[in-house]
């Protein structure tokens, strides 16, 4: 799985992108965010309020209950405003 982090999520985690082995017990986007929050202080800070994180799986916007799989590309970013 490829994980991409944008804006302040990237700043807090210290990671722009990474290849990541999806744990067997993680099946949804929400579970993935819960799991990532356990990876250290920066990840815990970035994923502490999941309601402000938007995500795309394979370049499609999805909700937290969306299923994820090992071959997916998952991007995490804060809400954006238009202008």
């Amino acid at each position: 799985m490829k994980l991409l982090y944008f804006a302040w999520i990237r700043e807090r985690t210290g990671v722009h992108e990474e290849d990541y082995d999806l744990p067997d017990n993680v099946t949804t986007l929400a579970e993935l965010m819960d799991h990532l929050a356990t990876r250290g202080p920066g990840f815990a800070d970035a994923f502490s309020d999941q309601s402000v994180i938007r995500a795309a799986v394979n370049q499609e916007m999805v909700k937290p209950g969306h299923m994820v799989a090992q071959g997916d590309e998952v991007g995490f970013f804060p809400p954006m405003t238009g202008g």
Side-chain angles (χ1 to χ4, degrees):
M1 153 175 287
K2 179 172 288 253
L3 301 179
L4 307 168
Y5 307 96
F6 297 94
W8 57 258
I9 300 168
R10 175 181 54 220
E11 292 170 8
R12 293 177 186 176
T13 63
V15 179
H16 171 68
E17 71 177 61
E18 64 182 325
D19 291 322
Y20 194 73
D21 289 326
L22 185 67
D24 291 337
N25 63 332
V26 173
T27 60
T28 67
L29 179 62
E31 291 172 347
L32 176 60
M33 290 190 286
D34 288 342
H35 173 75
L36 292 173
T38 69
R39 293 183 60 196
F43 281 89
D45 185 34
F47 290 97
S48 65
D49 184 0
Q50 294 177 14
S51 70
V52 299
I53 295 177
R54 302 296 176 258
V57 175
N58 301 320
Q59 301 182 5
E60 181 180 326
M61 297 298 297
V62 298
K63 302 274 186 198
H66 186 85
M67 301 298 282
V68 293
Q70 182 58 37
D72 289 341
E73 175 188 86
V74 182
F76 297 103
F77 46 91
M80 294 182 259
T81 59

